[in-house]
Amino acid sequence: MSGHGHGHTPAAWTGVIISFIGFCVASAFIVMANPVGFWAGVALTLLGAVVGGIMRLMGLGQAPKTGSRPKAQPQNG
């Protein structure tokens, strides 16, 4: 895994692959003029986002950034 924060995690890859397959399904059914298949592809695309989010919550995603803002120092006065 890369430490550069570009989404190189199992959660990101899984979500993108599922969404890509859904996009391909929806595109194919648009060409075939089949609305039911198109909406199934759209649902699959959205499922990719849900699966990626669940995997991230399970700890398979990128760790949140820490230390991006300095802590406020208490004022003595």
Side-chain angles (χ1 to χ4, degrees):
M1 302 281 160
S2 175
H4 299 292
H6 294 290
H8 299 293
T9 64
W13 279 102
T14 304
V16 167
I17 289 170
I18 293 171
S19 294
F20 179 73
I21 291 169
F23 178 77
C24 290
V25 168
S27 298
F29 280 108
I30 270 193
V31 171
M32 293 188 285
N34 184 332
V36 175
F38 165 75
W39 287 111
V42 170
L44 193 57
T45 301
L46 297 175
L47 179 68
V50 171
V51 169
I54 290 171
M55 288 180 70
R56 182 176 56 95
L57 292 174
M58 292 172 54
L60 295 171
Q62 185 175 350
K65 292 182 181 180
T66 57
S68 59
R69 290 179 49 182
K71 293 182 179 178
Q73 298 295 325
Q75 300 269 335
N76 294 334

Tab-separated table of all heavy atoms in Angstrom:
chain	number	residue	atom	x	y	z
A	1	MET	N	0.839	-1.183	0.000
A	1	MET	CA	0.000	0.000	0.000
A	1	MET	C	0.887	1.251	0.000
A	1	MET	O	1.907	1.292	0.645
A	1	MET	CB	-0.887	0.033	1.235
A	1	MET	CG	-1.790	-1.145	1.425
A	1	MET	SD	-3.204	-0.996	0.365
A	1	MET	CE	-3.716	-2.672	0.351
A	2	SER	N	0.431	2.229	-0.689
A	2	SER	CA	1.160	3.476	-0.767
A	2	SER	C	0.760	4.385	0.392
A	2	SER	O	-0.388	4.414	0.798
A	2	SER	CB	0.849	4.157	-2.095
A	2	SER	OG	1.462	5.415	-2.142
A	3	GLY	N	1.707	5.119	0.919
A	3	GLY	CA	1.427	6.022	2.008
A	3	GLY	C	1.097	7.438	1.557
A	3	GLY	O	1.081	8.358	2.347
A	4	HIS	N	0.839	7.627	0.277
A	4	HIS	CA	0.617	8.966	-0.249
A	4	HIS	C	-0.822	9.431	-0.164
A	4	HIS	O	-1.125	10.553	-0.491
A	4	HIS	CB	1.104	9.050	-1.690
A	4	HIS	CG	2.564	8.777	-1.835
A	4	HIS	ND1	3.527	9.629	-1.355
A	4	HIS	CD2	3.219	7.737	-2.385
A	4	HIS	CE1	4.719	9.131	-1.610
A	4	HIS	NE2	4.558	7.978	-2.236
A	5	GLY	N	-1.749	8.566	0.228
A	5	GLY	CA	-3.130	8.988	0.399
A	5	GLY	C	-3.900	9.145	-0.892
A	5	GLY	O	-4.721	10.031	-1.022
A	6	HIS	N	-3.659	8.300	-1.872
A	6	HIS	CA	-4.353	8.400	-3.146
A	6	HIS	C	-5.410	7.310	-3.309
A	6	HIS	O	-5.753	6.943	-4.422
A	6	HIS	CB	-3.360	8.342	-4.307
A	6	HIS	CG	-2.437	9.507	-4.353
A	6	HIS	ND1	-2.858	10.774	-4.684
A	6	HIS	CD2	-1.123	9.612	-4.096
A	6	HIS	CE1	-1.830	11.608	-4.634
A	6	HIS	NE2	-0.765	10.923	-4.277
A	7	GLY	N	-5.899	6.760	-2.221
A	7	GLY	CA	-6.957	5.773	-2.292
A	7	GLY	C	-6.495	4.364	-2.595
A	7	GLY	O	-7.256	3.552	-3.091
A	8	HIS	N	-5.241	4.048	-2.320
A	8	HIS	CA	-4.718	2.707	-2.567
A	8	HIS	C	-5.036	1.807	-1.379
A	8	HIS	O	-4.143	1.370	-0.654
A	8	HIS	CB	-3.211	2.758	-2.825
A	8	HIS	CG	-2.842	3.571	-4.014
A	8	HIS	ND1	-3.177	3.196	-5.295
A	8	HIS	CD2	-2.187	4.734	-4.128
A	8	HIS	CE1	-2.724	4.091	-6.142
A	8	HIS	NE2	-2.130	5.046	-5.463
A	9	THR	N	-6.323	1.526	-1.182
A	9	THR	CA	-6.755	0.681	-0.079
A	9	THR	C	-7.741	-0.351	-0.622
A	9	THR	O	-8.342	-0.152	-1.672
A	9	THR	CB	-7.456	1.513	1.009
A	9	THR	OG1	-8.648	2.071	0.462
A	9	THR	CG2	-6.557	2.621	1.546
A	10	PRO	N	-7.914	-1.459	0.097
A	10	PRO	CA	-8.901	-2.448	-0.348
A	10	PRO	C	-10.303	-1.856	-0.470
A	10	PRO	O	-11.042	-2.205	-1.390
A	10	PRO	CB	-8.844	-3.525	0.737
A	10	PRO	CG	-7.480	-3.412	1.322
A	10	PRO	CD	-7.145	-1.949	1.251
A	11	ALA	N	-10.677	-0.971	0.432
A	11	ALA	CA	-12.010	-0.366	0.378
A	11	ALA	C	-12.180	0.469	-0.887
A	11	ALA	O	-13.208	0.391	-1.567
A	11	ALA	CB	-12.246	0.497	1.619
A	12	ALA	N	-11.190	1.256	-1.222
A	12	ALA	CA	-11.272	2.107	-2.406
A	12	ALA	C	-11.301	1.269	-3.681
A	12	ALA	O	-12.122	1.507	-4.572
A	12	ALA	CB	-10.092	3.078	-2.444
A	13	TRP	N	-10.411	0.285	-3.769
A	13	TRP	CA	-10.370	-0.552	-4.967
A	13	TRP	C	-11.674	-1.320	-5.151
A	13	TRP	O	-12.208	-1.403	-6.263
A	13	TRP	CB	-9.187	-1.517	-4.906
A	13	TRP	CG	-7.908	-0.873	-5.313
A	13	TRP	CD1	-6.914	-0.433	-4.490
A	13	TRP	CD2	-7.471	-0.581	-6.641
A	13	TRP	NE1	-5.896	0.117	-5.222
A	13	TRP	CE2	-6.218	0.031	-6.547
A	13	TRP	CE3	-8.038	-0.784	-7.889
A	13	TRP	CZ2	-5.517	0.453	-7.671
A	13	TRP	CZ3	-7.331	-0.364	-9.008
A	13	TRP	CH2	-6.086	0.244	-8.888
A	14	THR	N	-12.199	-1.893	-4.083
A	14	THR	CA	-13.436	-2.666	-4.184
A	14	THR	C	-14.596	-1.778	-4.615
A	14	THR	O	-15.375	-2.131	-5.502
A	14	THR	CB	-13.748	-3.358	-2.853
A	14	THR	OG1	-12.634	-4.171	-2.486
A	14	THR	CG2	-14.987	-4.221	-2.956
A	15	GLY	N	-14.724	-0.622	-3.982
A	15	GLY	CA	-15.803	0.300	-4.331
A	15	GLY	C	-15.722	0.758	-5.778
A	15	GLY	O	-16.735	0.818	-6.484
A	16	VAL	N	-14.525	1.066	-6.247
A	16	VAL	CA	-14.357	1.537	-7.614
A	16	VAL	C	-14.629	0.419	-8.619
A	16	VAL	O	-15.266	0.639	-9.651
A	16	VAL	CB	-12.939	2.127	-7.811
A	16	VAL	CG1	-12.625	2.325	-9.279
A	16	VAL	CG2	-12.814	3.437	-7.062
A	17	ILE	N	-14.170	-0.795	-8.327
A	17	ILE	CA	-14.395	-1.905	-9.257
A	17	ILE	C	-15.881	-2.213	-9.379
A	17	ILE	O	-16.406	-2.387	-10.494
A	17	ILE	CB	-13.589	-3.141	-8.821
A	17	ILE	CG1	-12.098	-2.903	-9.067
A	17	ILE	CG2	-14.058	-4.398	-9.559
A	17	ILE	CD1	-11.186	-3.946	-8.464
A	18	ILE	N	-16.599	-2.267	-8.254
A	18	ILE	CA	-18.041	-2.530	-8.302
A	18	ILE	C	-18.759	-1.409	-9.054
A	18	ILE	O	-19.631	-1.662	-9.894
A	18	ILE	CB	-18.618	-2.707	-6.886
A	18	ILE	CG1	-18.072	-3.991	-6.251
A	18	ILE	CG2	-20.146	-2.749	-6.913
A	18	ILE	CD1	-18.418	-4.145	-4.778
A	19	SER	N	-18.381	-0.168	-8.778
A	19	SER	CA	-19.013	0.968	-9.464
A	19	SER	C	-18.711	0.956	-10.959
A	19	SER	O	-19.575	1.275	-11.782
A	19	SER	CB	-18.544	2.286	-8.850
A	19	SER	OG	-18.999	2.385	-7.527
A	20	PHE	N	-17.498	0.584	-11.321
A	20	PHE	CA	-17.131	0.518	-12.734
A	20	PHE	C	-17.952	-0.543	-13.463
A	20	PHE	O	-18.428	-0.307	-14.589
A	20	PHE	CB	-15.637	0.236	-12.884
A	20	PHE	CG	-15.188	0.120	-14.312
A	20	PHE	CD1	-15.090	1.248	-15.109
A	20	PHE	CD2	-14.878	-1.112	-14.862
A	20	PHE	CE1	-14.696	1.151	-16.430
A	20	PHE	CE2	-14.478	-1.219	-16.176
A	20	PHE	CZ	-14.381	-0.089	-16.967
A	21	ILE	N	-18.129	-1.698	-12.830
A	21	ILE	CA	-18.953	-2.749	-13.436
A	21	ILE	C	-20.391	-2.257	-13.588
A	21	ILE	O	-21.024	-2.470	-14.629
A	21	ILE	CB	-18.878	-4.042	-12.608
A	21	ILE	CG1	-17.479	-4.643	-12.717
A	21	ILE	CG2	-19.930	-5.050	-13.052
A	21	ILE	CD1	-17.205	-5.776	-11.743
A	22	GLY	N	-20.911	-1.583	-12.567
A	22	GLY	CA	-22.260	-1.022	-12.657
A	22	GLY	C	-22.382	-0.003	-13.771
A	22	GLY	O	-23.382	0.031	-14.498
A	23	PHE	N	-21.366	0.818	-13.941
A	23	PHE	CA	-21.369	1.807	-15.018
A	23	PHE	C	-21.389	1.115	-16.380
A	23	PHE	O	-22.117	1.523	-17.289
A	23	PHE	CB	-20.140	2.717	-14.891
A	23	PHE	CG	-20.021	3.726	-15.981
A	23	PHE	CD1	-20.797	4.862	-15.980
A	23	PHE	CD2	-19.133	3.528	-17.026
A	23	PHE	CE1	-20.691	5.798	-16.989
A	23	PHE	CE2	-19.023	4.451	-18.045
A	23	PHE	CZ	-19.803	5.589	-18.031
A	24	CYS	N	-20.592	0.054	-16.524
A	24	CYS	CA	-20.558	-0.690	-17.789
A	24	CYS	C	-21.908	-1.350	-18.072
A	24	CYS	O	-22.386	-1.339	-19.212
A	24	CYS	CB	-19.450	-1.734	-17.756
A	24	CYS	SG	-17.796	-1.018	-17.796
A	25	VAL	N	-22.528	-1.926	-17.037
A	25	VAL	CA	-23.845	-2.551	-17.200
A	25	VAL	C	-24.868	-1.504	-17.627
A	25	VAL	O	-25.638	-1.712	-18.580
A	25	VAL	CB	-24.276	-3.257	-15.892
A	25	VAL	CG1	-25.748	-3.651	-15.920
A	25	VAL	CG2	-23.401	-4.474	-15.632
A	26	ALA	N	-24.895	-0.376	-16.931
A	26	ALA	CA	-25.851	0.681	-17.272
A	26	ALA	C	-25.618	1.195	-18.690
A	26	ALA	O	-26.577	1.415	-19.444
A	26	ALA	CB	-25.749	1.829	-16.266
A	27	SER	N	-24.375	1.351	-19.089
A	27	SER	CA	-24.069	1.834	-20.436
A	27	SER	C	-24.524	0.838	-21.501
A	27	SER	O	-25.089	1.229	-22.526
A	27	SER	CB	-22.564	2.074	-20.581
A	27	SER	OG	-22.143	3.062	-19.667
A	28	ALA	N	-24.289	-0.445	-21.260
A	28	ALA	CA	-24.694	-1.460	-22.226
A	28	ALA	C	-26.215	-1.480	-22.389
A	28	ALA	O	-26.723	-1.578	-23.513
A	28	ALA	CB	-24.189	-2.830	-21.790
A	29	PHE	N	-26.925	-1.383	-21.275
A	29	PHE	CA	-28.379	-1.431	-21.366
A	29	PHE	C	-28.975	-0.144	-21.937
A	29	PHE	O	-30.077	-0.161	-22.479
A	29	PHE	CB	-28.995	-1.777	-20.010
A	29	PHE	CG	-28.947	-3.245	-19.713
A	29	PHE	CD1	-28.086	-3.747	-18.761
A	29	PHE	CD2	-29.756	-4.137	-20.407
A	29	PHE	CE1	-28.034	-5.102	-18.486
A	29	PHE	CE2	-29.720	-5.497	-20.140
A	29	PHE	CZ	-28.849	-5.992	-19.183
A	30	ILE	N	-28.261	0.968	-21.838
A	30	ILE	CA	-28.728	2.193	-22.504
A	30	ILE	C	-28.663	1.990	-24.012
A	30	ILE	O	-29.586	2.355	-24.737
A	30	ILE	CB	-27.882	3.410	-22.071
A	30	ILE	CG1	-28.510	4.045	-20.871
A	30	ILE	CG2	-27.760	4.421	-23.184
A	30	ILE	CD1	-27.995	5.405	-20.514
A	31	VAL	N	-27.578	1.397	-24.493
A	31	VAL	CA	-27.431	1.152	-25.925
A	31	VAL	C	-28.510	0.180	-26.406
A	31	VAL	O	-29.035	0.317	-27.510
A	31	VAL	CB	-26.015	0.607	-26.229
A	31	VAL	CG1	-25.893	0.136	-27.660
A	31	VAL	CG2	-24.972	1.669	-25.922
A	32	MET	N	-28.853	-0.806	-25.571
A	32	MET	CA	-29.883	-1.786	-25.934
A	32	MET	C	-31.298	-1.264	-25.673
A	32	MET	O	-32.268	-1.996	-25.886
A	32	MET	CB	-29.661	-3.085	-25.165
A	32	MET	CG	-28.403	-3.811	-25.572
A	32	MET	SD	-28.257	-5.435	-24.834
A	32	MET	CE	-27.817	-5.047	-23.152
A	33	ALA	N	-31.418	-0.035	-25.188
A	33	ALA	CA	-32.719	0.590	-24.895
A	33	ALA	C	-33.546	-0.254	-23.934
A	33	ALA	O	-34.737	-0.482	-24.133
A	33	ALA	CB	-33.486	0.873	-26.176
A	34	ASN	N	-32.905	-0.706	-22.865
A	34	ASN	CA	-33.572	-1.521	-21.848
A	34	ASN	C	-33.526	-0.757	-20.524
A	34	ASN	O	-32.508	-0.773	-19.826
A	34	ASN	CB	-32.866	-2.869	-21.717
A	34	ASN	CG	-33.564	-3.799	-20.759
A	34	ASN	OD1	-34.222	-3.370	-19.834
A	34	ASN	ND2	-33.399	-5.096	-20.998
A	35	PRO	N	-34.618	-0.072	-20.153
A	35	PRO	CA	-34.585	0.749	-18.946
A	35	PRO	C	-34.391	-0.050	-17.653
A	35	PRO	O	-33.752	0.433	-16.720
A	35	PRO	CB	-35.930	1.467	-18.930
A	35	PRO	CG	-36.698	1.007	-20.104
A	35	PRO	CD	-35.869	0.051	-20.875
A	36	VAL	N	-34.927	-1.263	-17.581
A	36	VAL	CA	-34.772	-2.060	-16.351
A	36	VAL	C	-33.304	-2.401	-16.130
A	36	VAL	O	-32.776	-2.277	-15.020
A	36	VAL	CB	-35.644	-3.336	-16.425
A	36	VAL	CG1	-35.392	-4.220	-15.226
A	36	VAL	CG2	-37.115	-2.974	-16.532
A	37	GLY	N	-32.623	-2.818	-17.185
A	37	GLY	CA	-31.200	-3.126	-17.073
A	37	GLY	C	-30.371	-1.892	-16.746
A	37	GLY	O	-29.399	-1.964	-15.987
A	38	PHE	N	-30.771	-0.749	-17.320
A	38	PHE	CA	-30.075	0.503	-17.013
A	38	PHE	C	-30.158	0.824	-15.529
A	38	PHE	O	-29.148	1.128	-14.892
A	38	PHE	CB	-30.668	1.654	-17.833
A	38	PHE	CG	-30.260	3.005	-17.328
A	38	PHE	CD1	-28.987	3.484	-17.559
A	38	PHE	CD2	-31.140	3.790	-16.599
A	38	PHE	CE1	-28.598	4.729	-17.078
A	38	PHE	CE2	-30.770	5.030	-16.116
A	38	PHE	CZ	-29.492	5.510	-16.358
A	39	TRP	N	-31.372	0.727	-14.962
A	39	TRP	CA	-31.531	1.051	-13.545
A	39	TRP	C	-30.847	0.024	-12.650
A	39	TRP	O	-30.380	0.358	-11.564
A	39	TRP	CB	-33.005	1.218	-13.188
A	39	TRP	CG	-33.538	2.503	-13.754
A	39	TRP	CD1	-34.430	2.649	-14.751
A	39	TRP	CD2	-33.146	3.829	-13.359
A	39	TRP	NE1	-34.630	3.978	-15.025
A	39	TRP	CE2	-33.857	4.734	-14.183
A	39	TRP	CE3	-32.266	4.339	-12.416
A	39	TRP	CZ2	-33.711	6.117	-14.064
A	39	TRP	CZ3	-32.128	5.728	-12.310
A	39	TRP	CH2	-32.838	6.587	-13.120
A	40	ALA	N	-30.749	-1.214	-13.105
A	40	ALA	CA	-29.988	-2.222	-12.359
A	40	ALA	C	-28.509	-1.833	-12.329
A	40	ALA	O	-27.835	-1.964	-11.296
A	40	ALA	CB	-30.171	-3.599	-12.983
A	41	GLY	N	-27.993	-1.332	-13.456
A	41	GLY	CA	-26.607	-0.862	-13.502
A	41	GLY	C	-26.377	0.341	-12.599
A	41	GLY	O	-25.348	0.447	-11.935
A	42	VAL	N	-27.350	1.248	-12.566
A	42	VAL	CA	-27.247	2.411	-11.678
A	42	VAL	C	-27.232	1.953	-10.220
A	42	VAL	O	-26.436	2.443	-9.400
A	42	VAL	CB	-28.399	3.409	-11.938
A	42	VAL	CG1	-28.451	4.476	-10.870
A	42	VAL	CG2	-28.249	4.036	-13.310
A	43	ALA	N	-28.090	0.997	-9.887
A	43	ALA	CA	-28.114	0.464	-8.520
A	43	ALA	C	-26.781	-0.191	-8.167
A	43	ALA	O	-26.273	-0.037	-7.050
A	43	ALA	CB	-29.264	-0.523	-8.364
A	44	LEU	N	-26.199	-0.907	-9.117
A	44	LEU	CA	-24.905	-1.541	-8.884
A	44	LEU	C	-23.817	-0.496	-8.672
A	44	LEU	O	-22.927	-0.662	-7.828
A	44	LEU	CB	-24.571	-2.441	-10.074
A	44	LEU	CG	-23.432	-3.429	-9.923
A	44	LEU	CD1	-23.665	-4.348	-8.733
A	44	LEU	CD2	-23.279	-4.230	-11.193
A	45	THR	N	-23.897	0.601	-9.422
A	45	THR	CA	-22.932	1.688	-9.252
A	45	THR	C	-23.025	2.276	-7.846
A	45	THR	O	-22.013	2.504	-7.178
A	45	THR	CB	-23.181	2.790	-10.300
A	45	THR	OG1	-23.069	2.216	-11.598
A	45	THR	CG2	-22.185	3.920	-10.165
A	46	LEU	N	-24.239	2.502	-7.370
A	46	LEU	CA	-24.426	3.033	-6.013
A	46	LEU	C	-24.014	2.012	-4.957
A	46	LEU	O	-23.504	2.380	-3.896
A	46	LEU	CB	-25.877	3.460	-5.822
A	46	LEU	CG	-26.343	4.600	-6.728
A	46	LEU	CD1	-27.835	4.853	-6.537
A	46	LEU	CD2	-25.543	5.857	-6.462
A	47	LEU	N	-24.227	0.735	-5.251
A	47	LEU	CA	-23.811	-0.317	-4.323
A	47	LEU	C	-22.296	-0.288	-4.107
A	47	LEU	O	-21.821	-0.547	-3.009
A	47	LEU	CB	-24.247	-1.687	-4.850
A	47	LEU	CG	-23.861	-2.879	-3.995
A	47	LEU	CD1	-24.628	-2.850	-2.669
A	47	LEU	CD2	-24.119	-4.167	-4.737
A	48	GLY	N	-21.552	0.061	-5.155
A	48	GLY	CA	-20.099	0.175	-5.023
A	48	GLY	C	-19.706	1.207	-3.986
A	48	GLY	O	-18.789	0.993	-3.186
A	49	ALA	N	-20.406	2.329	-3.978
A	49	ALA	CA	-20.125	3.366	-2.982
A	49	ALA	C	-20.462	2.880	-1.576
A	49	ALA	O	-19.717	3.130	-0.620
A	49	ALA	CB	-20.902	4.628	-3.307
A	50	VAL	N	-21.564	2.163	-1.449
A	50	VAL	CA	-21.977	1.652	-0.133
A	50	VAL	C	-20.973	0.619	0.372
A	50	VAL	O	-20.545	0.664	1.530
A	50	VAL	CB	-23.401	1.062	-0.207
A	50	VAL	CG1	-23.766	0.341	1.073
A	50	VAL	CG2	-24.407	2.154	-0.516
A	51	VAL	N	-20.581	-0.315	-0.500
A	51	VAL	CA	-19.637	-1.357	-0.095
A	51	VAL	C	-18.294	-0.734	0.292
A	51	VAL	O	-17.690	-1.105	1.309
A	51	VAL	CB	-19.467	-2.398	-1.218
A	51	VAL	CG1	-18.301	-3.328	-0.939
A	51	VAL	CG2	-20.735	-3.204	-1.390
A	52	GLY	N	-17.818	0.222	-0.496
A	52	GLY	CA	-16.564	0.905	-0.162
A	52	GLY	C	-16.644	1.630	1.172
A	52	GLY	O	-15.710	1.593	1.974
A	53	GLY	N	-17.773	2.270	1.438
A	53	GLY	CA	-17.953	2.958	2.721
A	53	GLY	C	-17.994	2.001	3.897
A	53	GLY	O	-17.412	2.269	4.956
A	54	ILE	N	-18.675	0.879	3.718
A	54	ILE	CA	-18.731	-0.116	4.797
A	54	ILE	C	-17.346	-0.690	5.061
A	54	ILE	O	-16.938	-0.854	6.218
A	54	ILE	CB	-19.746	-1.222	4.448
A	54	ILE	CG1	-21.162	-0.665	4.515
A	54	ILE	CG2	-19.595	-2.421	5.379
A	54	ILE	CD1	-22.228	-1.614	3.981
A	55	MET	N	-16.613	-0.986	3.995
A	55	MET	CA	-15.254	-1.514	4.170
A	55	MET	C	-14.348	-0.498	4.867
A	55	MET	O	-13.495	-0.861	5.667
A	55	MET	CB	-14.672	-1.927	2.828
A	55	MET	CG	-15.303	-3.186	2.260
A	55	MET	SD	-14.612	-3.656	0.665
A	55	MET	CE	-12.965	-4.185	1.152
A	56	ARG	N	-14.545	0.782	4.556
A	56	ARG	CA	-13.749	1.825	5.223
A	56	ARG	C	-14.054	1.852	6.710
A	56	ARG	O	-13.152	1.963	7.548
A	56	ARG	CB	-14.034	3.189	4.602
A	56	ARG	CG	-13.215	4.307	5.212
A	56	ARG	CD	-13.457	5.615	4.493
A	56	ARG	NE	-14.854	5.993	4.453
A	56	ARG	CZ	-15.436	6.808	5.337
A	56	ARG	NH1	-14.729	7.336	6.308
A	56	ARG	NH2	-16.707	7.099	5.229
A	57	LEU	N	-15.347	1.713	7.057
A	57	LEU	CA	-15.724	1.691	8.464
A	57	LEU	C	-15.180	0.451	9.186
A	57	LEU	O	-14.974	0.473	10.395
A	57	LEU	CB	-17.246	1.746	8.609
A	57	LEU	CG	-17.899	3.059	8.195
A	57	LEU	CD1	-19.419	2.930	8.249
A	57	LEU	CD2	-17.420	4.197	9.080
A	58	MET	N	-14.966	-0.626	8.425
A	58	MET	CA	-14.413	-1.849	8.996
A	58	MET	C	-12.895	-1.762	9.173
A	58	MET	O	-12.273	-2.695	9.665
A	58	MET	CB	-14.758	-3.043	8.114
A	58	MET	CG	-16.227	-3.391	8.100
A	58	MET	SD	-16.658	-4.654	6.884
A	58	MET	CE	-15.546	-5.966	7.294
A	59	GLY	N	-12.304	-0.663	8.754
A	59	GLY	CA	-10.868	-0.475	8.936
A	59	GLY	C	-10.036	-0.831	7.720
A	59	GLY	O	-8.813	-0.915	7.816
A	60	LEU	N	-10.666	-1.044	6.573
A	60	LEU	CA	-9.928	-1.408	5.371
A	60	LEU	C	-9.674	-0.214	4.466
A	60	LEU	O	-9.210	-0.373	3.341
A	60	LEU	CB	-10.689	-2.493	4.598
A	60	LEU	CG	-10.822	-3.818	5.336
A	60	LEU	CD1	-11.760	-4.749	4.598
A	60	LEU	CD2	-9.471	-4.461	5.529
A	61	GLY	N	-9.983	0.971	4.950
A	61	GLY	CA	-9.773	2.186	4.166
A	61	GLY	C	-8.580	2.962	4.680
A	61	GLY	O	-7.814	2.503	5.520
A	62	GLN	N	-8.440	4.153	4.178
A	62	GLN	CA	-7.340	5.022	4.573
A	62	GLN	C	-7.592	5.568	5.968
A	62	GLN	O	-8.713	5.965	6.295
A	62	GLN	CB	-7.211	6.161	3.568
A	62	GLN	CG	-6.040	7.059	3.810
A	62	GLN	CD	-5.910	8.092	2.706
A	62	GLN	OE1	-6.588	8.006	1.692
A	62	GLN	NE2	-5.060	9.061	2.902
A	63	ALA	N	-6.558	5.607	6.768
A	63	ALA	CA	-6.671	6.167	8.116
A	63	ALA	C	-6.895	7.673	8.013
A	63	ALA	O	-6.366	8.326	7.108
A	63	ALA	CB	-5.407	5.890	8.909
A	64	PRO	N	-7.711	8.228	8.907
A	64	PRO	CA	-7.932	9.681	8.858
A	64	PRO	C	-6.640	10.439	9.132
A	64	PRO	O	-5.770	9.976	9.861
A	64	PRO	CB	-8.965	9.933	9.955
A	64	PRO	CG	-9.060	8.690	10.744
A	64	PRO	CD	-8.438	7.584	9.967
A	65	LYS	N	-6.543	11.598	8.508
A	65	LYS	CA	-5.361	12.431	8.721
A	65	LYS	C	-5.352	12.939	10.156
A	65	LYS	O	-6.375	13.336	10.696
A	65	LYS	CB	-5.362	13.612	7.763
A	65	LYS	CG	-5.167	13.225	6.331
A	65	LYS	CD	-5.138	14.444	5.451
A	65	LYS	CE	-4.965	14.047	4.006
A	65	LYS	NZ	-4.943	15.204	3.129
A	66	THR	N	-4.188	12.939	10.750
A	66	THR	CA	-4.046	13.462	12.110
A	66	THR	C	-2.995	14.563	12.090
A	66	THR	O	-2.069	14.548	11.290
A	66	THR	CB	-3.612	12.359	13.098
A	66	THR	OG1	-2.387	11.787	12.636
A	66	THR	CG2	-4.667	11.278	13.209
A	67	GLY	N	-3.164	15.500	12.971
A	67	GLY	CA	-2.186	16.566	13.098
A	67	GLY	C	-2.245	17.596	11.987
A	67	GLY	O	-1.274	18.285	11.745
A	68	SER	N	-3.381	17.710	11.306
A	68	SER	CA	-3.454	18.683	10.232
A	68	SER	C	-3.588	20.109	10.771
A	68	SER	O	-3.195	21.046	10.117
A	68	SER	CB	-4.629	18.368	9.301
A	68	SER	OG	-5.836	18.377	10.023
A	69	ARG	N	-4.145	20.239	11.978
A	69	ARG	CA	-4.267	21.557	12.602
A	69	ARG	C	-3.530	21.523	13.942
A	69	ARG	O	-3.676	20.587	14.705
A	69	ARG	CB	-5.732	21.904	12.859
A	69	ARG	CG	-6.495	22.175	11.583
A	69	ARG	CD	-7.922	22.499	11.829
A	69	ARG	NE	-8.076	23.523	12.873
A	69	ARG	CZ	-9.241	23.951	13.311
A	69	ARG	NH1	-10.349	23.466	12.817
A	69	ARG	NH2	-9.316	24.865	14.237
A	70	PRO	N	-2.754	22.542	14.213
A	70	PRO	CA	-2.081	22.568	15.510
A	70	PRO	C	-3.086	22.762	16.645
A	70	PRO	O	-4.112	23.421	16.476
A	70	PRO	CB	-1.125	23.760	15.414
A	70	PRO	CG	-1.644	24.587	14.301
A	70	PRO	CD	-2.412	23.683	13.382
A	71	LYS	N	-2.798	22.141	17.759
A	71	LYS	CA	-3.684	22.279	18.925
A	71	LYS	C	-3.539	23.672	19.516
A	71	LYS	O	-2.455	24.266	19.524
A	71	LYS	CB	-3.324	21.239	19.990
A	71	LYS	CG	-3.609	19.834	19.562
A	71	LYS	CD	-3.285	18.870	20.680
A	71	LYS	CE	-3.587	17.458	20.244
A	71	LYS	NZ	-3.252	16.495	21.277
A	72	ALA	N	-4.655	24.192	19.993
A	72	ALA	CA	-4.636	25.521	20.615
A	72	ALA	C	-3.907	25.435	21.952
A	72	ALA	O	-4.123	24.526	22.744
A	72	ALA	CB	-6.061	26.015	20.827
A	73	GLN	N	-3.036	26.396	22.184
A	73	GLN	CA	-2.296	26.462	23.441
A	73	GLN	C	-3.103	27.227	24.472
A	73	GLN	O	-3.702	28.256	24.165
A	73	GLN	CB	-0.950	27.173	23.218
A	73	GLN	CG	-0.028	26.448	22.252
A	73	GLN	CD	0.407	25.106	22.789
A	73	GLN	OE1	0.609	24.937	23.986
A	73	GLN	NE2	0.547	24.135	21.898
A	74	PRO	N	-3.182	26.714	25.698
A	74	PRO	CA	-3.941	27.446	26.728
A	74	PRO	C	-3.273	28.794	27.028
A	74	PRO	O	-2.058	28.914	27.030
A	74	PRO	CB	-3.902	26.530	27.949
A	74	PRO	CG	-2.859	25.512	27.671
A	74	PRO	CD	-2.601	25.493	26.198
A	75	GLN	N	-4.107	29.782	27.257
A	75	GLN	CA	-3.610	31.122	27.558
A	75	GLN	C	-3.420	31.262	29.065
A	75	GLN	O	-4.333	30.964	29.836
A	75	GLN	CB	-4.655	32.160	27.098
A	75	GLN	CG	-4.934	32.097	25.602
A	75	GLN	CD	-4.016	33.036	24.839
A	75	GLN	OE1	-3.534	34.015	25.375
A	75	GLN	NE2	-3.796	32.722	23.579
A	76	ASN	N	-2.267	31.692	29.470
A	76	ASN	CA	-2.016	31.986	30.884
A	76	ASN	C	-2.134	33.485	31.092
A	76	ASN	O	-1.384	34.250	30.550
A	76	ASN	CB	-0.610	31.525	31.301
A	76	ASN	CG	-0.480	30.015	31.252
A	76	ASN	OD1	-1.485	29.322	31.392
A	76	ASN	ND2	0.718	29.527	31.072
A	77	GLY	N	-3.093	33.848	31.867
A	77	GLY	CA	-3.156	35.289	32.011
A	77	GLY	C	-4.098	35.751	32.966
A	77	GLY	O	-4.573	36.156	33.775
